[in-house]
DNA sequence: TGCGAGATAGTTTTT
DNA sequence: CTATCTCGCA
C-alpha cells in the first residue's frame, strides 16, 4: 500500500519512458548537471559503463568472477534514478540471498542517500511473500499464512505418509519432499503429475495421493512451503491478470542477480512480471493510468529486464536451477543486448590461472577470457595432511602465520564441501586461539528449543497451523500426549475451527480434570498473547489469577477506536517464555547442554528485541517472515574480525584476501554423490571454480590422505581438480605423493623416514579406493620448506571415544562463549575451569604441547580463562595458545 | 505420559 | 559416527 503511493509523486513527470526500445546510447551523464565526469561512470571500464547506461527491453550482463558486477548493478540502478528514468518504487532488484540484498541496498544508499527509499531489493522469496501477503485473500489464504521450512514440510509429510501407510513402499518424508520440491520448481502440481503418471504403477498412484494430500493439508493449515512462495505467486499472476497488471505496471525495471541459478518457477515469475499490460487491464487500474504510461496500442509497455550472471558459477542445479535460463536468454527476450565483463579486479594472475584451468575442463561452455591487470602474486599453496586433523592443524598454523604477516582474521576464510567437515577445523582453531565463526551450518532457528518457542509465535499468527500447534503442545512437557492431541485435532477438523478454539472447548471433551485445566490454561495463554500481538489490551485486570474473562467476551468496545498498535514481538515472546517457564525448566536440569539451550532462548528474545527496534510497529507477522526467510542468522556483522568458515555454496558472492579450500579429495570434491549424476562433476567443477575465485591474494588447497567418516577411516585420493591446475602454480608444502606412497595408510609412523614402507597399520588400506592414477603426477613435487610443514600427527589418541567427545563439546562450548562475550576475543569465561585453567605460566617456562612438542613461553596475555600463552616451539616456531584449552603441560 | 536404553538407518550443497 | 525412532518400563 504505502509503496504504491510513492508511485505517483504528484506532478513530476518521468524523464522518458524507460522501456522505449533501444533509445539510450552510451552517452554518459546525459542529464548530469555539471558536465565533466560522471561519478556513476567514473572509474568503470568501457564494458562496465555500457552495462550501466545501456537501455532497452532486456540486458544480459555476463559477469565473470570478480568483474565488478555488484558495482555495475548498483550503479545502473542509481543511474536510472538520477537520470529520472525511474522512481525508486519502480525498481525491483532480486538477489539470491538476504545478505546480498542488504549489501546491495547499502551500496545504493551510499550512492543515492534517501532517494533509495521505496525500492524493492530482496530475494525471490521475500518479494513473493510480500506480494502473497497482500493478495492472499484472492485465493483462499489469509495474509497471516505460515511459511513452512523444510523441517515443517517434512513433519507434515511424515504424518501423511504414515496415514497412507506409504512407508512400506519406500516413501520417506525426505525423498518425497525433495521430489515434490522438484516438481514444484517446475511449476507442476499434483494434478499435473497425475496426468503424466503411470496409472498402473502403485508407487506412482501412491505418490500422487501423498502429493494431493500434502497440498490439501497446506491449504487447510493456511501455509506455504518454500517452493510455493514462488509457484503460487506465478499462479496468482496467471489466474488473476488484474493483480498481475498492478505489479507489471509498477515495476518498470526488473534486475536479477545470479541469473544462472534461477529455476523454472523463478524464470516464469520473471516472465510474468515483464509482460506488457494489455488494454483491458489498463482500464481497470487504480489509480488510472496516465497518458504517459500508455503506448500507441493502449498498452503499458513491458518492464525492462536486466539479468546478471555467469554460467560458470551455476552451482544450484540440485535445487532446480536451470542453466538454460541464462544460456538462452537472448533467444528468450527479443531485443536483448549482451555485455560481457571480463576484466577481473579481484584476484592475482596465479589464482585466476588456476581457476581458468579448472573450469576449462568443462566442455559445453562458452569460452570466456577473464584477465587481470594485477601481477602474478604468490603461488598457490598446497598441503596434504595425514588425517583431517593434520590438515586442520596446517590450516590453523597458516592462519596464524598470515595473521602475523598482517592479514586480519576477518580477511581469511576457510571453505569446505560439506558441513560435517567443520568439526576438525573448529577443534584446531579453538586450540590455537584463532577467533572464528561458522556461517550457515546448524542454524540458530533450526535448534529444537528455538523451534519450540517459535511454534508459539507461529500458532498465534496462524491458529490453523497444525504443525506449530502440535509442537507447542509438547514443549515444555505438560502432560498433553498423543491421545489428547488426536482428540483435539479431530474436534478441530470436525468443527472446522481453529486449534485455539478447539482447546477452549476442552471442558466439553471429557478430559480428566487435570488435563482440562492444563489445556484451557494453555489456550488462555495463547489467547492473551494473540491479543497482545494484535495490539489489543490484555483482557481485563492484571495477570496473576487468570480472570474469568474468557474468549467469547472479547468484544469490549474499549479498544475499538484506539488505534491498534501491535505489541513489540519481544514482549509477546517474553510472555510466552515466562508463562511456560521454558527457560526455568531447562535451567533446572543442570545439564550444560540444557544451559546452552536456555541461553539460546534468551538470545532469541534479544533477536526479537533487536527486530522491534529496527522495525518499530512491524508486528509479529513481519518477524516470523523474516525468521523463516533469513538463512544464517549472523550474516550481519562482517566486521566481527573473525575467520569465516563456510561451505563453498555459501561462499558464492563473497571474497577474501586469503582463502583455504579444504578436503580437495575425490569423493568429497567432487562429492561422491555427484559422480554418478549426469553433469554432476561439471557442477562440482564449477563449485571448485567459485571457491578458487573468492581469493584475492592467497589461496591454499588442502587435503588429507585419510578421512574418517561413518566411524571408520578410509583412504582418500587427491581430487581430479588438483591435476587440472598447472603444476607450476602450486607450491606443495606436502604433496599427496609424499603422504600416500602407494595408496596405503601410514597412520602414525610419519616420523619414520620416507620410502621405508611404513606399517600399513589399522585400517584396511585401499578399501574402495580403486587406484586412479591421480596421485602419480604429484609424487615429483618438492617438499617445500622445512619447519612448519612437518610436525607430529595431531590425532588425539582415541582411547575413550565418548569422554573425548564430551570433552570436546564442552571445550567448544566454552570457547564459543569466550568469543561471544565481546568483540573478537576479550576477557572472560568464568569459573568452570577445565584442563589447564589454573596452569601458571611465566615467560621462560618450558612446556610440552601434544602436537608441537617442546617450546619456551615468551609471554602471556589476557586474563582468567582467556589467558593466551605465546610460545616459541623448537619445531614450529611461535604460536599463540589458549592456555585453558591447549593440550600443554609444563616441563620440569 | 514420560523417560531411557537400545536398535536402526542414513549420510551434499540451500532459499 | 550421530540423529532419530521404537520399545519397554515406571
Amino acid at each position: 500500500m504505502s509503496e504504491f503511493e510513492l508511485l505517483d509523486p504528484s506532478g513530476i513527470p518521468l524523464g522518458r519512458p524507460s522501456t522505449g526500445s533501444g533509445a539510450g546510447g552510451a552517452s554518459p551523464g546525459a542529464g548530469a548537471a555539471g558536465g565533466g565526469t560522471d561519478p556513476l561512470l567514473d572509474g568503470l571500464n568501457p564494458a562496465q559503463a555500457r552495462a550501466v547506461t545501456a537501455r532497452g527491453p532486456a540486458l544480459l550482463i555476463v559477469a565473470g568472477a570478480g568483474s565488478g558486477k555488484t558495482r555495475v548493478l548498483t550503479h545502473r540502478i542509481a543511474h536510472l534514478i538520477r537520470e529520472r528514468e525511474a522512481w525508486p518504487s519502480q525498481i525491483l532488484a532480486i538477489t539470491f540471498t538476504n545478505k546480498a540484498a542488504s549489501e546491495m541496498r547499502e551500496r545504493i544508499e551510499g550512492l543515492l542517500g534517501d532517494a533509495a527509499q521505496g525500492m524493492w531489493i530482496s530475494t525471490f522469496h521475500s518479494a513473493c511473500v510480500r506480494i502473497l501477503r497482500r493478495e492472499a485473500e484472492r485465493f483462499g489464504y489469509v495474509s497471516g499464512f505460515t511459511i513452512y521450512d523444510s523441517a515443517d514440510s517434512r513433519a507434515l509429510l511424515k504424518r501423511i505418509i504414515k496415514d497412507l501407510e506409504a512407508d512400506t513402499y519406500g516413501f520417506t518424508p525426505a525423498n518425497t519432499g525433495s521430489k515434490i520440491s522438484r516438481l514444484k520448481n517446475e511449476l507442476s502440481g499434483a494434478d499435473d503429475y497425475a496426468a503424466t503418471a503411470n496409472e498402473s504403477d502403485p508407487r506412482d498412484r501412491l505418490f500422487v495421493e501423498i502429493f494431493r494430500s500434502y497440498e490439501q493439508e497446506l491449504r487447510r493449515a493456511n501455509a506455504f512451503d518454500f517452493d510455493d512462495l514462488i509457484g503460487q505467486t506465478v499462479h496468482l499472476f496467471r489466474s488473476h491478470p488484474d493483480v498481475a497488471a498492478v505489479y507489471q505496471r509498477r515495476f518498470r525495471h526488473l534486475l536479477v542477480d545470479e541469473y544462472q541459478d534461477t529455476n523454472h518457477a523463478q524464470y516464469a515469475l520473471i516472465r510474468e512480471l515483464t509482460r506488457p499490460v494489455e488494454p483491458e487491464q489498463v482500464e481497470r487500474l487504480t489509480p488510472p493510468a496516465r497518458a504517459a504510461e500508455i503506448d500507441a496500442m493502449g498498452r503499458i509497455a513491458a518492464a525492462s529486464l536486466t539479468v546478471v550472471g555467469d554460467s560458470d558459477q551455476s552451482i544450484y542445479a540440485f535445487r532446480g536451477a536451470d542453466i538454460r535460463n541464462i544460456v538462452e536468454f537472448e533467444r528468450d527476450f527479443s531485443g536483448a543486448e549482451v555485455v560481457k565483463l571480463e576484466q577481473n579486479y579481484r584476484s592475482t594472475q596465479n589464482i585466476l590461472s588456476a581457476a581458468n584451468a579448472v573450469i576449462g575442463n568443462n566442455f559445453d561452455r562458452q569460452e570466456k577470457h577473464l584477465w587481470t591487470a594485477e601481477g602474478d602474486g604468490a603461488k598457490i599453496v598446497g598441503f596434504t595432511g595425514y588425517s583431517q586433523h593434520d590438515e586442520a592443524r596446517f590450516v590453523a598454523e597458516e592462519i596464524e602465520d598470515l595473521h602475523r604477516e598482517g592479514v586480519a582474521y576477518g580477511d581469511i576464510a576457510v571453505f569446505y564441501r560439506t558441513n560435517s567437515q567443520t568439526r576438525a577445523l573448529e577443534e584446531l582453531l579453538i586450540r590455537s586461539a584463532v577467533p572464528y565463526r561458522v556461517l550457515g551450518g546448524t542454524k540458530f532457528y533450526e535448534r529444537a528449543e528455538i523451534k519450540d518457542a517459535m511454534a508459539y509465535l507461529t500458532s498465534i499468527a496462524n491458529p490453523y497451523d497444525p504443525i506449530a500447534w502440535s509442537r507447542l503442545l509438547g514443549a515444555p512437557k505438560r502432560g498433553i500426549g498423543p491421545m489428547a492431541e488426536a482428540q483435539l485435532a479431530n474436534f478441530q477438523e470436525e468443527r472446522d475451527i481453529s486449534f485455539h478454539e478447539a482447546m477452549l472447548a476442552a471442558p466439553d471433551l471429557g478430559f480428566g480434570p487435570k488435563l482440562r485445566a492444563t489445556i484451557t490454561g494453555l489456550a488462555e495463554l495463547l489467547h492473551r498473547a494473540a491479543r497482545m500481538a494484535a495490539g489489543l489490551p490484555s483482557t481485563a485486570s492484571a495477570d496473576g489469577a487468570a480472570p474469568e474473562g474468557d474468549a467469547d467476551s472479547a468484544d469490549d468496545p474499549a479498544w475499538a477506536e484506539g488505534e491498534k498498535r501491535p505489541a513489540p514481538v519481544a514482549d509477546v515472546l517474553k510472555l510466552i517464555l515466562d508463562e511456560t517457564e521454558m527457560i526455568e525448566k531447562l535451567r533446572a536440569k543442570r545439564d550444560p547442554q540444557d544451559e546452552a539451550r536456555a541461553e539460546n532462548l534468551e538470545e532469541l528474545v534479544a533477536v526479537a528485541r533487536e527486530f522491534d527496534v529496527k522495525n518499530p510497529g512491524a508486528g509479529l507477522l513481519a518477524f516470523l517472515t523474516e525468521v523463516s526467510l533469513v538463512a544464517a542468522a549472523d550474516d550481519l556483522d562482517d566486521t566481527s574480525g573473525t575467520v569465516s568458515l563456510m561451505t563453498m555454496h555459501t561462499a558464492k558472492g563473497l571474497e577474501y584476501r586469503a582463502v583455504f579450500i579444504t578436503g580437495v579429495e575425490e569423493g568429497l570434491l567432487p562429492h561422491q554423490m555427484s559422480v554418478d549424476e549426469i553433469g554432476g562433476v561439471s557442477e562440482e567443477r564449477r563449485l571448485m571454480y567459485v571457491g578458487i575465485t573468492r581469493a584475492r591474494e592467497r589461496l591454499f588447497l588442502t587435503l588429507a590422505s585419510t578421512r574418517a567418516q561413518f566411524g571408520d577411516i578410509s583412504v582418500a585420493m587427491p581430487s581430479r581438480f588438483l591435476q587440472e591446475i598447472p603444476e607450476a602454480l602450486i607450491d606443495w608444502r606436502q604433496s599427496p605423493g609424499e603422504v600416500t606412497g602407494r595408496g596405503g595408510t601410514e597412520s602414525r609412523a610419519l616420523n619414520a623416514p620416507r620410502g621405508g614402507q611404513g606399517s600399513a597399520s589399522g585400517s584396511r588400506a585401499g578399501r574402495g579406493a580403486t587406484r586412479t592414477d591421480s596421485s602419480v603426477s604429484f609424487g615429483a613435487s618438492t617438499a617445500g620448506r622445512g619447519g612448519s610443514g612437518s610436525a607430529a600427527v595431531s590425532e588425539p589418541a582415541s582411547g575413550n571415544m565418548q569422554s573425548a567427545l564430551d570433552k570436546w563439546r564442552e571445550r567448544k562450548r566454552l570457547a564459543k562463549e569466550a568469543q561471544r562475550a565481546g568483540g573478537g576475543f576479550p576477557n572472560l569465561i568464568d569459573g568452570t575451569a577445565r584442563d589447564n585453567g589454573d596452569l601458571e605460566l611465566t615467560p621462560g617456562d618450558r612446556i610440552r604441547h601434544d602436537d608441537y612438542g617442546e617450546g619456551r613461553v615468551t609471554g602471556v596475555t589476557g586474563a582468567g580463562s582467556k589467558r593466551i600463552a605465546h610460545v616459541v616451539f623448537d619445531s614450529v616456531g611461535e604460536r599463540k595458545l589458549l592456555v585453558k584449552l591447549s593440550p600443554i603441560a609444563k616441563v620440569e
Side-chain angles (χ1 to χ4, degrees):
Chain A
M1 310 151 195
S2 58
E3 300 102 278
F4 281 90
E5 287 150 24
L6 288 167
L7 181 64
D8 243 334
S10 57
I12 316 169
L14 289 173
R16 58 185 123 110
S18 52
T19 51
S21 54
S27 56
T37 56
D38 182 333
L40 288 179
L41 299 177
D42 214 25
L44 298 188
N45 67 37
Q48 289 177 323
R50 178 65 194 154
V52 170
T53 55
R55 297 293 182 265
L59 171 66
L60 165 62
I61 302 172
V62 177
S67 59
K69 68 165 187 183
T70 308
R71 186 142 181 247
V72 163
L73 217 41
T74 51
H75 282 232
R76 180 173 172 84
I77 291 170
H79 197 252
L80 284 166
I81 305 289
R82 198 200 58 191
E83 298 296 303
R84 307 214 141 211
E85 294 172 58
W87 296 107
S89 60
Q90 295 177 320
I91 304 277
L92 170 59
I94 296 191
T95 61
F96 238 69
T97 63
N98 293 290
K99 184 179 166 129
S102 47
E103 187 185 328
M104 187 180 296
R105 179 175 292 280
E106 265 168 40
R107 288 174 67 163
I108 293 176
E109 275 166 5
L111 295 170
L112 291 176
D114 284 345
Q117 291 264 325
M119 287 183 202
W120 279 33
I121 304 175
S122 68
T123 62
F124 273 107
H125 296 266
S126 308
C128 287
V129 170
R130 229 163 141 177
I131 293 168
L132 288 173
R133 288 233 190 270
R134 195 189 316 230
E135 315 288 346
E137 281 81 8
R138 289 293 203 131
F139 52 112
Y141 274 82
V142 181
S143 118
F145 60 77
T146 305
I147 301 166
Y148 275 7
D149 65 18
S150 12
D152 297 326
S153 298
R154 248 184 290 126
L156 183 55
L157 278 169
K158 193 173 158 193
R159 200 179 292 181
I160 293 169
I161 288 171
K162 203 167 181 182
D163 283 353
L164 296 172
E165 289 172 355
D167 45 344
T168 52
Y169 283 81
F171 288 98
T172 66
N175 66 26
T176 317
S178 62
K179 187 164 179 185
I180 288 177
S181 173
R182 255 201 317 282
L183 288 166
K184 285 189 173 184
N185 284 333
E186 291 295 318
L187 290 179
S188 81
D191 293 335
D192 305 290
Y193 183 81
T196 64
N198 179 0
E199 280 291 332
S200 58
D201 183 347
R203 295 206 57 217
D204 251 16
R205 282 210 314 271
L206 201 47
F207 176 73
V208 170
E209 211 173 329
I210 297 173
F211 197 174
R212 278 231 169 82
S213 144
Y214 175 70
E215 293 199 316
Q216 241 166 46
E217 289 300 312
L218 278 179
R219 183 164 281 264
R220 254 173 49 79
N222 193 31
F224 291 111
D225 66 19
F226 266 135
D227 305 309
D228 280 340
L229 297 178
I230 316 281
Q232 294 291 348
T233 307
V234 172
H235 285 140
L236 168 70
F237 285 165
R238 288 186 178 165
S239 56
H240 298 272
D242 56 317
V243 175
V246 172
Y247 296 91
Q248 286 158 352
R249 171 213 201 175
R250 176 192 161 137
F251 297 123
R252 303 315 301 153
H253 295 272
L254 192 55
L255 303 99
V256 183
D257 196 9
E258 307 284 12
Y259 188 67
Q260 76 282 354
D261 283 328
T262 49
N263 61 33
H264 179 72
Q266 290 161 336
Y267 168 80
L269 182 72
I270 292 167
R271 280 241 85 119
E272 292 305 322
L273 283 171
T274 53
R275 276 184 210 292
V277 183
E278 298 300 331
E280 68 260 36
Q281 299 301 338
V282 171
E283 284 163 26
R284 300 171 59 184
L285 285 170
T286 48
R290 282 170 288 113
E293 290 179 81
I294 304 170
D295 68 11
M297 294 149 73
R299 306 190 307 184
I300 295 178
S304 91
L305 172 65
T306 302
V307 304
V308 189
D310 175 3
S311 43
D312 287 336
Q313 293 184 61
S314 162
I315 54 174
Y316 282 106
F318 72 92
R319 204 170 77 186
D322 190 344
I323 204 164
R324 282 176 309 178
N325 289 160
I326 193 165
V327 175
E328 295 172 6
F329 183 82
E330 290 178 77
R331 219 185 60 200
D332 258 0
F333 294 89
S334 58
E337 178 174 347
V338 179
V339 176
K340 287 190 178 179
L341 307 181
E342 295 181 310
Q343 182 175 0
N344 175 295
Y345 292 95
R346 181 187 294 151
S347 310
T348 65
Q349 186 60 53
N350 277 340
I351 291 168
L352 218 48
S353 299
N356 283 332
V358 168
I359 200 68
N361 284 280
N362 273 359
F363 46 94
D364 54 347
R365 62 187 276 275
Q366 307 163 332
E367 270 303 317
K368 274 204 295 285
H369 308 283
L370 262 193
W371 60 280
T372 178
E374 305 261 322
D376 282 351
K379 273 197 179 183
I380 295 163
V381 172
F383 179 82
T384 312
Y386 301 95
S387 65
Q388 50 208 332
H389 276 93
D390 201 25
E391 178 191 21
R393 184 183 48 75
F394 173 80
V395 171
E397 285 171 7
E398 290 299 320
I399 287 174
E400 278 303 278
D401 283 351
L402 287 168
H403 187 62
R404 258 193 301 281
E405 289 164 20
V407 182
Y409 287 128
D411 286 330
I412 302 173
V414 183
F415 301 158
Y416 36 83
R417 177 66 233 268
T418 69
N419 282 304
S420 59
Q421 285 168 257
T422 52
R423 280 200 233 306
L425 289 164
E426 283 192 77
E427 180 174 358
L428 268 293
L429 291 177
I430 289 170
R431 270 206 234 162
S432 321
V434 172
Y436 72 92
R437 66 191 172 134
V438 179
L439 271 69
T442 320
K443 284 161 213 135
F444 183 67
Y445 294 105
E446 282 169 15
R447 289 160 198 271
E449 65 276 13
I450 300 299
K451 293 212 86 166
D452 289 344
M454 294 299 296
Y456 283 86
L457 298 182
T458 303
S459 188
I460 288 165
N462 177 11
Y464 286 85
D465 181 343
I467 302 290
W469 173 75
S470 146
R471 181 159 197 126
L472 72 84
L473 284 187
K477 306 272 185 225
R478 48 164 76 82
I480 307 179
M483 256 172 40
E485 177 182 337
Q487 206 174 340
L488 285 166
N490 280 337
F491 187 71
Q492 180 276 337
E493 188 165 359
E494 274 165 30
R495 303 288 182 87
D496 200 20
I497 53 179
S498 80
F499 286 103
H500 298 187
E501 289 164 319
M503 288 164 80
L504 283 167
D508 313 326
L509 290 177
F511 290 117
K514 198 160 166 203
L515 244 191
R516 190 195 308 155
T518 312
I519 293 174
T520 40
L522 182 57
E524 269 159 23
L525 167 61
L526 289 169
H527 182 241
R528 207 144 41 98
R531 288 180 64 86
M532 188 171 173
L536 310 178
S538 54
T539 19
S541 56
D543 23 20
E548 75 303 333
D550 38 5
D552 310 54
S553 60
D555 25 297
D556 44 323
W559 45 270
E561 82 272 36
E563 91 249 61
K564 293 184 276 181
R565 171 171 310 147
V569 179
D571 291 358
V572 181
L573 180 61
K574 204 84 179 60
L575 173 72
I576 302 284
L577 292 179
D578 287 347
E579 296 285 313
T580 58
E581 299 178 323
M582 277 167 108
I583 294 181
E584 290 81 350
K585 283 180 177 158
L586 283 171
R587 287 247 152 83
K589 289 219 258 177
R590 286 272 156 254
D591 176 340
Q593 292 257 338
D594 285 320
E595 177 59 30
R597 294 195 179 102
E599 279 168 24
N600 284 334
L601 285 174
E602 275 163 355
E603 190 165 336
L604 181 63
V605 176
V607 169
R609 192 130 276 152
E610 196 181 325
F611 175 87
D612 289 325
V613 171
K614 273 202 212 137
N615 314 279
L620 183 56
L621 209 48
F623 179 68
L624 290 171
T625 304
E626 178 163 309
V627 167
S628 21
L629 260 31
V630 162
D634 44 352
D635 276 357
L636 314 163
D637 52 343
D638 273 2
T639 54
S640 60
T642 60
V643 174
S644 301
L645 271 58
M646 69 191 89
T647 67
M648 277 188 270
H649 283 88
T650 309
K652 190 162 72 157
L654 307 177
E655 61 174 57
Y656 294 88
R657 277 181 73 187
V659 163
F660 292 80
I661 300 181
T662 64
V664 191
E665 297 150 27
E666 281 297 300
L668 207 49
L669 184 64
H671 195 277
Q672 194 56 50
M673 295 274 121
S674 72
V675 174
D676 327 310
E677 291 166 17
I678 44 168
V681 173
S682 297
E683 174 139 328
E684 298 285 304
R685 190 173 278 114
R686 291 193 290 269
L687 193 55
M688 180 78 184
Y689 175 76
V690 167
I692 293 174
T693 52
R694 302 305 97 196
R696 289 213 294 266
E697 300 166 23
R698 305 296 307 276
L699 176 64
F700 298 79
L701 303 177
T702 69
L703 62 156
S705 61
T706 64
R707 193 160 289 270
Q709 45 189 351
F710 42 76
D712 59 2
I713 297 168
S714 53
V715 176
M717 302 302 287
S719 167
R720 64 190 78 182
F721 301 149
L722 281 174
Q723 277 182 288
E724 295 170 0
I725 299 174
E727 227 174 304
L729 295 178
I730 304 184
D731 166 22
W732 282 103
R733 300 285 175 75
Q734 191 157 275
S735 76
E738 289 171 83
V739 178
T740 52
R742 26 197 113 315
T745 316
E746 305 177 78
S747 69
R748 202 141 242 297
L750 17 134
N751 293 333
R754 295 219 76 269
Q757 194 67 303
S759 61
S761 72
S763 58
R764 305 146 291 181
R767 172 229 201 202
T770 26
R771 292 193 69 239
T772 61
D773 50 0
S774 6
S775 67
V776 177
S777 67
F778 296 105
S781 331
T782 60
R785 64 147 198 240
S788 84
S790 52
V793 204
S794 58
E795 207 80 51
S798 58
N800 182 340
M801 227 30 197
Q802 193 49 48
S803 81
L805 205 73
D806 287 345
K807 235 181 186 168
W808 179 73
R809 284 214 187 94
E810 177 67 2
R811 257 188 297 169
K812 180 176 162 176
R813 199 181 68 75
L814 287 169
K816 284 259 87 152
E817 212 169 81
Q819 287 199 15
R820 187 146 23 104
F825 229 82
N827 46 1
L828 180 135
I829 298 173
D830 49 6
T832 33
R834 279 218 63 79
D835 298 7
N836 314 311
D838 44 357
L839 182 65
E840 296 280 354
L841 288 178
T842 41
D845 284 350
R846 290 282 300 172
I847 59 148
R848 161 173 290 284
H849 184 283
D850 280 4
D851 295 340
Y852 300 140
E854 294 197 12
R856 187 167 300 283
V857 177
T858 58
V860 180
T861 56
S865 53
K866 292 283 322 164
R867 237 154 77 248
I868 291 173
H870 298 247
V871 183
V872 176
F873 286 99
D874 304 343
S875 55
V876 296
E878 189 184 349
R879 297 282 171 233
K880 287 190 321 190
L881 303 167
L882 198 58
V883 174
K884 187 183 183 67
L885 303 177
S886 297
I888 54 176
K890 245 198 258 197
V891 179
E892 298 311 322

